[in-house]
Amino acid sequence: MKIYEIGTGYTPIPAQMGAATEIVVEELTRAFIKNGENAEIIDICAKKREECELPISEVKVPDKFSGTDVSLGIMHKLKRVVYSISLAKHLKNILKNEEDKVVLHFHNQYNLFFALKLIPKKLLKKATIAYTVHSYIWGTEWEEIEKTVKKKYFQEITCVKNADIVLVLNDITIDHFVNRLGVCKDKIHKIKNGVNIDRYAPLSKPHIDELKEKNGLGGKKVIFQVGSICERKNQFGSVKMLTEYLKANSDVVYMYAGGIIDAEYQQSILEYAKENGIYEQIKYLGELAPGKQLNEYYNIADCSVFTSTLESFGLVIIEAISSGTPVVLGSNLMFDLNCGYSMYNTEEEFVSMVDAALCGGKISRDEVFDVLNKYSWEAVARTHSSLFTAAL
């Protein structure tokens, strides 16, 4: 079985920023190969792709579309279209030359939508089409999203209806697809995302102390939040809930990292911190590279918080747990590990749980051993392989 994992074109793989879907493609491919599968990544061309041991074939696009666009504006959409059209041509050539049936695993609505439109049906029959739904939009009530998904996610609806196998991350998405869109339930499967337990791992206390001193955090207790800086990720909400706690505990720092999607939102956080006398306890780190750098900051943290208003699956939650840092997250999020985190319903619970995590110390690997084995990328890849094999 040959598996083609298809990068979205947002940023080259391996991602040098917190691009969750690109991380999934990279880690899933790496795990497939470790498990003995024949897997390859198809990705957008990149002038400065970081050295990587993974097999990657490039789809050429004009230079002005090869960079990473974090603004998510019209150029971002145009880039998606340009890459998707070029990708369809690339896949068409692959299918012409493949003798045996292959798996094409898509992760983006633009990519599969244009492939379905531009690749002849006769050629598409040589592939099993798998599509993973990463979009967070499906994780809320139908009445709230009906107009939005039909206007902005019509491509994804087409993808889900036409894929041979649909992979989703939560139960509410299955309900919407089956009961609202009439998608055949038999081809929809709930899967996990995983964590690279070698990249995200506890560091020694002396190493952590050294990193804290290096970052001006010696003697401080650190609360850490990872995610793009925008309203949905809710960093401002975290700061507001922590305001009085920070005022009462001058040795506590709220540290956050991620690309700035909404500059006004970021400015609002800083202005609020100044107005409320906690500016010196708020530390913005910018965008952190996945892997070693991000793992160091998880380890610097005494507690990681995750207060997003909506997510399909939070990779950063399990990364933090794998790094040994306890997590506090909202009960609105669809996350169901057995240990390593606390879920809050109210602001009072949030602050109380953060305080308990700061005082409770790190998580040992023994505490979360079983969970991490279930969520290792190798285990996740085996689930994918069995589903792909059955579909073939």
Side-chain angles (χ1 to χ4, degrees):
M1 176 174 64
K2 178 65 179 284
I3 303 168
Y4 289 99
E5 283 291 322
I6 300 170
T8 72
Y10 173 58
T11 186
I13 299 168
Q16 290 306 293
M17 55 185 293
T21 307
E22 277 65 32
I23 292 169
V24 170
V25 172
E26 174 189 348
E27 294 291 2
L28 198 51
T29 306
R30 182 176 286 112
F32 279 140
I33 293 171
K34 281 185 179 179
N35 290 346
E37 298 284 1
N38 184 7
E40 178 182 322
I41 293 173
I42 299 174
D43 194 30
I44 194 168
C45 62
K47 290 182 179 178
K48 296 181 179 179
R49 189 185 303 279
E50 185 180 283
E51 188 174 335
C52 180
E53 85 284 6
L54 296 171
I56 300 176
S57 64
E58 292 193 327
V59 175
K60 300 296 182 183
V61 297
D63 286 348
K64 65 181 178 179
F65 294 113
S66 63
T68 300
D69 173 28
V70 298
S71 67
L72 308 184
I74 187 65
M75 282 301 293
H76 172 80
K77 290 182 174 63
L78 184 57
K79 176 186 174 182
R80 293 286 202 192
V81 172
V82 170
Y83 169 64
S84 295
I85 292 172
S86 300
L87 172 66
K89 294 177 182 177
H90 187 89
L91 294 175
K92 183 177 177 181
N93 290 330
I94 286 175
L95 292 175
K96 281 181 179 178
N97 295 311
E98 287 285 357
E99 294 183 5
D100 298 320
K101 200 167 185 180
V102 300
V103 175
L104 300 181
H105 186 191
F106 291 84
H107 297 262
N108 175 267
Q109 59 174 335
Y110 283 83
N111 300 162
L112 179 51
F113 181 83
F114 280 94
L116 291 170
K117 297 295 182 185
L118 298 176
I119 300 175
K121 286 185 171 62
K122 185 178 180 180
L123 278 181
L124 282 177
K125 287 181 180 178
K126 296 178 71 174
T128 289
I129 305 296
Y131 181 69
T132 294
V133 180
H134 296 277
S135 313
Y136 61 84
I137 190 70
W138 300 102
T140 191
E141 297 302 322
W142 181 254
E143 291 72 23
E144 297 179 38
I145 64 170
E146 181 178 7
K147 291 181 180 179
T148 301
V149 297
K150 289 182 177 178
K151 181 179 180 181
K152 294 184 178 181
Y153 289 82
F154 65 92
Q155 293 177 108
E156 184 144 80
I157 293 171
T158 298
C159 294
V160 170
K161 288 184 174 181
N162 287 277
D164 299 304
I165 179 170
V166 179
L167 306 175
V168 304
L169 295 162
N170 50 67
D171 292 321
I172 192 170
T173 301
I174 297 175
D175 181 65
H176 291 332
F177 288 166
V178 174
N179 296 316
R180 304 294 183 173
L181 300 177
V183 179
C184 176
K185 188 175 183 178
D186 290 344
K187 72 175 184 179
I188 305 175
H189 303 272
K190 183 180 174 182
I191 50 104
K192 305 181 183 80
N193 275 335
V195 63
N196 187 323
I197 60 178
D198 296 319
R199 297 179 88 182
Y200 296 101
L203 302 175
S204 68
K205 189 176 185 306
H207 192 177
I208 293 172
D209 290 342
E210 181 184 337
L211 288 170
K212 277 194 169 184
E213 289 291 342
K214 182 180 176 181
N215 285 274
L217 295 167
K220 303 289 187 182
K221 292 183 178 179
V222 178
I223 302 164
F224 187 35
Q225 183 163 351
V226 184
S228 301
I229 313 305
C230 60
E231 189 172 356
R232 181 172 65 86
K233 297 293 185 179
N234 199 31
Q235 292 89 352
F236 201 175
S238 298
V239 171
K240 287 178 177 178
M241 287 191 289
L242 289 166
T243 299
E244 295 305 316
Y245 185 80
L246 292 174
K247 287 180 178 180
N249 296 275
S250 59
D251 63 333
V252 176
V253 172
Y254 170 79
M255 184 173 70
Y256 63 116
I260 298 175
I261 301 298
D262 187 336
E264 288 185 10
Y265 185 77
Q266 163 71 345
Q267 189 59 33
S268 296
I269 295 172
L270 301 179
E271 288 176 0
Y272 175 89
K274 288 178 182 177
E275 290 169 2
N276 286 272
I278 55 172
Y279 185 77
E280 296 301 321
Q281 292 169 268
I282 305 296
K283 187 177 179 67
Y284 173 60
L285 302 172
E287 181 81 58
L288 299 179
K292 180 181 178 181
Q293 185 184 36
L294 183 53
N295 184 60
E296 287 182 344
Y297 280 98
Y298 281 133
N299 273 271
I300 288 173
D302 299 281
C303 169
S304 185
V305 298
F306 201 61
T307 61
S308 292
T309 58
L310 189 61
E311 293 286 346
S312 57
F313 183 100
L315 284 176
V316 297
I317 301 173
I318 194 166
E319 288 171 358
I321 293 171
S322 184
S323 302
T325 303
V327 177
V328 176
L329 65 151
S331 60
N332 60 304
L333 300 177
M334 292 163 283
F335 203 79
D336 58 358
L337 292 183
N338 295 325
C339 57
Y341 67 97
S342 304
M343 275 188 165
Y344 70 90
N345 292 289
T346 66
E347 180 177 331
E348 290 75 17
E349 286 182 354
F350 174 75
V351 175
S352 176
M353 289 174 179
V354 168
D355 181 64
L358 292 176
C359 297
K362 292 287 188 175
I363 306 167
S364 73
R365 272 286 166 112
D366 289 341
E367 288 179 71
V368 293
F369 180 80
D370 289 338
V371 169
L372 292 181
N373 277 339
K374 290 176 184 175
Y375 280 78
S376 71
W377 278 113
E378 287 80 4
V380 172
R382 283 192 289 273
T383 300
H384 281 73
S385 295
S386 63
L387 292 172
F388 293 166
T389 300
L392 282 171

